[in-house]
Amino acid sequence: MVTTLVARLAAIVGEKNVLVDEAAKAPFLQDWLGKYRGAAAAVVRPGGTDEVASVLAACREAGISVVPQGGNTSMSGGATPDPAGRAIVLSLTRMNRIRDVDPVGNTMTVDAGVVLAAVQEAAKAAGRFFPLSLGAEGSCTIGGNLATNAGGVAVLRYGTMRELTLGLEVAFADGRVWDGLKALRKDNTGYSLRDLFVGSEGTLGIITGAVLKLFPEPKARATAFVSLRDTSAALSLLARVRERCGDRLTAFEFITGDCLTLVLRHVGDVRLPFTQVPPAAVLVELSDSDDDSALGARLEASLVDAAEAEIILDAAIAQGATQARSFWRLREGISEALVREGRAAKHDVSVPVAQMADFIVAADAAVAAAAPGVRPIMFGHLGDGNLHYNLLKAENTNDADFAAVAPVLTRIVHDETARCRGSISAEHGIGQLRVADMSRYKAPIELELMNALKAVFDPTGLLNPGKLLPDMSNH
Ligand code: FAD
Ligand code: MLT
Ligand code: ZN
């Protein structure tokens, strides 16, 4: 069966775009965190929408599952097939054309496999700005960003991928294709089908193209690295900067001192703008599409005001783009530093900003009671209530003991999140990492409705089984 299918797939995409050799498949079967290792009958690399549709139809006839994959930077194991090895991994990376850039209508139409950084550059070349920005932007693809409704560091001002998208092109398990590539900001002709696929993690259809919103390029930026005592101080600073700077506030990234210590330990070419590691820090950035030379003064006035109110301990305002980049390097180096530091129970939670301090105090206390010595390492997009609340193995604990206690700690963190009416996955999606949690934290009616949608779009459960929703297929 599979041999016949592989031959059919080779006829569709060309023999060299069907990888069966174990070494060739390997990079597609391991997730970025090194937490999951899957297996696949083949990795298929279609070159266009029609080929994707034909591959899907062939797999459906053969009854073989399909795992769509973009840049393979998922933090929830969403793009890694299960170890059984019967699935086909469908990589979108060959579909990397920018189809159209319209600087008047402020839209860009792209293939799903275009890397996010390439979209940012194409927008810049057209004198525009595409605001989605995250640490994996050099590898992640627009299709993956859409499928996970990616967030990143500019959500505060521009929203998540859902708010940055106007139209989609989607291929379905039965081989049909929906051309929803409309460049309209207003279209009220029925249900918003587009929004169903944003965040669907490859379980309803495969996104093959998108129309993205473009924005005026920021002409002025002001960036500061601020040291402070704790999260409460950071939240007070957030309120003040918001009050004074309005929607010029573009990024507000919180980092604990412990997190900064790991970055300084594991990441090269980074330098702290202070003589010693503070208890906590915030990277704050303002931007304006006007050439607003007063922006720096506005940021400085906010920080002076916060210093006088004893909210902050110190602040370094970037004296140009090079220093601003060095501040961002401290922030972007965190994921890499955490992987190098060792085992951690990672959590990507969001709670209402007003409850963030209460959440942290309660979660810290409950974690310390359950596992003394485990180290909370926190950072994240505090401005939009999204905290990466990670728990590092205690120095004197072995990996096996930590692996045994980690699920208990995750349950504690997620229960505290639920108590604050938050979300157990703010931006990384559910993937395979959080599937089991869905039954505990989503209302039965939500699971019923999501399963009903899954049955409509993928009745045989071939698309990305075992991800986002409990596996419906036995493929
Ligand atoms: P993949 O990892 O290839 O796939 C992700 C999911 O989407 C999988 O379920 C896959 O099956 C599905 N999929 C992929 N392509 C398609 C398609 N065309 N159609 C349908 N389904 C598809 N995420 C954030 O939100 N914010 C961050 O700040 C952030 N920072 C990160 C920093 C680092 C260093 C790393 C490694 C990751 C980070 N991520 C972040 C997570 C990850 O980069 C995002 O989830 C990203 O959107 C995934 O894109 P990708 O192309 O790599 O998708
Ligand atoms: C980030 O904000 O850096 C990412 O979401 C990645 C992570 O959580 O490690
Ligand atoms: Zn993040």
Side-chain angles (χ1 to χ4, degrees):
M1 168 80 81
V2 174
T3 320
T4 318
L5 174 63
V6 167
R8 258 194 85 183
L9 298 180
I12 295 166
V13 301
E15 196 150 336
K16 65 179 178 11
N17 296 314
V18 179
L19 312 178
V20 289
D21 164 67
E22 288 313 315
K25 289 187 290 185
F28 299 86
L29 303 179
Q30 174 77 60
D31 74 310
W32 190 89
L33 287 170
K35 193 177 176 72
Y36 300 101
R37 169 169 288 288
V43 174
V44 179
R45 307 179 65 224
T49 302
D50 293 346
E51 290 184 11
V52 172
S54 306
V55 167
L56 284 170
C59 289
R60 178 162 151 152
E61 261 174 58
I64 297 288
S65 307
V66 178
V67 176
Q69 194 178 93
N72 198 17
T73 66
S74 168
M75 288 240 161
S76 55
T80 306
D82 71 38
R86 282 173 48 81
I88 293 289
V89 169
L90 190 155
S91 169
L92 281 296
T93 46
R94 277 188 63 222
M95 291 178 60
N96 56 11
R97 266 182 334 118
I98 290 180
R99 301 184 192 177
D100 174 64
V101 181
D102 173 3
V104 175
N106 273 330
T107 65
M108 185 187 295
T109 306
V110 298
D111 280 359
V114 177
V115 170
L116 173 53
V119 166
Q120 294 167 344
E121 280 147 32
K124 190 169 175 59
R128 293 291 178 271
F129 179 60
F130 184 70
L132 187 78
S133 176
L134 47 107
E137 61 197 24
S139 329
C140 64
T141 63
I142 290 298
N145 297 150
L146 285 158
T148 58
N149 185 28
V153 296
V155 168
L156 198 52
R157 179 166 185 177
Y158 295 99
T160 64
M161 198 55 185
R162 183 165 281 121
E163 283 87 30
L164 303 175
T165 307
L166 289 172
L168 290 182
E169 180 186 70
V170 182
F172 296 105
D174 59 6
R176 287 181 300 164
V177 173
W178 169 51
D179 173 359
L181 292 173
K182 291 199 176 158
L184 302 173
R185 277 163 174 77
K186 296 176 90 171
D187 173 8
N188 257 343
T189 52
Y191 304 134
S192 176
L193 295 175
R194 171 195 71 205
D195 289 328
L196 284 179
F197 300 108
V198 180
S200 62
E201 300 185 39
T203 61
L204 300 182
I206 294 190
I207 297 166
T208 50
V211 181
L212 304 174
K213 286 181 194 169
L214 296 179
F215 294 81
E217 191 167 16
K219 298 252 181 347
R221 283 182 199 275
T223 312
F225 208 81
V226 183
S227 68
L228 18 73
R229 269 179 306 283
D230 54 21
T231 335
S232 301
L235 291 164
S236 307
L237 178 65
L238 173 65
R240 283 170 181 262
V241 174
R242 259 203 166 125
E243 195 52 41
R244 198 182 270 258
C245 305
D247 67 5
R248 294 179 186 81
L249 177 57
T250 308
F252 194 91
E253 295 291 310
F254 176 74
I255 313 172
T256 56
D258 287 346
C259 211
L260 280 172
T261 302
L262 297 187
V263 176
L264 295 167
R265 180 180 305 160
H266 293 291
V267 179
D269 80 355
V270 286
R271 209 172 56 76
L272 204 58
F274 310 122
T275 49
Q276 54 185 1
V277 175
V282 161
L283 171 54
V284 49
E285 184 157 284
L286 307 182
S287 66
D288 200 315
S289 48
D290 288 343
D291 196 354
D292 174 1
S293 53
L295 202 62
R298 191 186 287 270
L299 179 57
E300 186 172 353
S302 308
L303 296 174
V304 166
D305 169 41
E308 282 163 4
E310 297 185 349
I311 288 171
I312 66 174
L313 303 171
D314 195 354
I317 297 181
Q319 300 307 303
T322 308
Q323 194 174 19
R325 273 300 320 134
S326 78
F327 291 172
W328 277 106
R329 241 336 262 138
L330 284 163
R331 167 60 181 89
E332 286 157 3
I334 296 174
S335 303
E336 181 189 337
L338 272 179
V339 171
R340 290 171 184 223
E341 178 70 11
R343 295 213 178 273
K346 285 175 73 82
H347 304 98
D348 161 37
V349 297
S350 56
V351 297
V353 174
Q355 289 176 266
M356 183 62 80
D358 161 33
F359 163 77
I360 290 172
V361 167
D364 281 357
V367 164
V374 160
R375 294 178 287 153
I377 298 285
M378 279 180 283
F379 68 97
H381 324 284
L382 197 67
D384 27 277
N386 177 190
L387 191 65
H388 295 304
Y389 184 91
N390 299 312
L391 297 168
L392 270 185
K393 181 176 77 68
E395 247 100 21
N396 58 357
T397 313
N398 65 47
D399 285 354
D401 293 347
F402 183 69
V405 79
V408 172
L409 301 177
T410 295
R411 174 63 61 88
I412 287 171
V413 173
H414 286 168
D415 282 357
E416 284 303 334
T417 305
R419 181 181 60 78
C420 297
R421 291 184 69 80
S423 167
I424 63 164
S425 180
E427 55 178 12
H428 295 166
I430 298 298
Q432 52 185 299
L433 177 67
R434 297 286 177 232
V435 172
D437 299 85
M438 287 287 271
S439 312
R440 184 176 172 87
Y441 298 103
K442 298 300 278 185
I445 186 166
E446 291 175 305
L447 293 172
E448 272 166 45
L449 292 173
M450 287 195 266
N451 276 296
L453 284 169
K454 174 75 175 175
V456 166
F457 290 106
D458 178 27
T460 55
L462 280 176
L463 292 181
N464 223 1
K467 311 290 177 37
L468 204 160
L469 286 173
D471 189 359
M472 287 162 56
S473 75
N474 54 4
H475 295 276

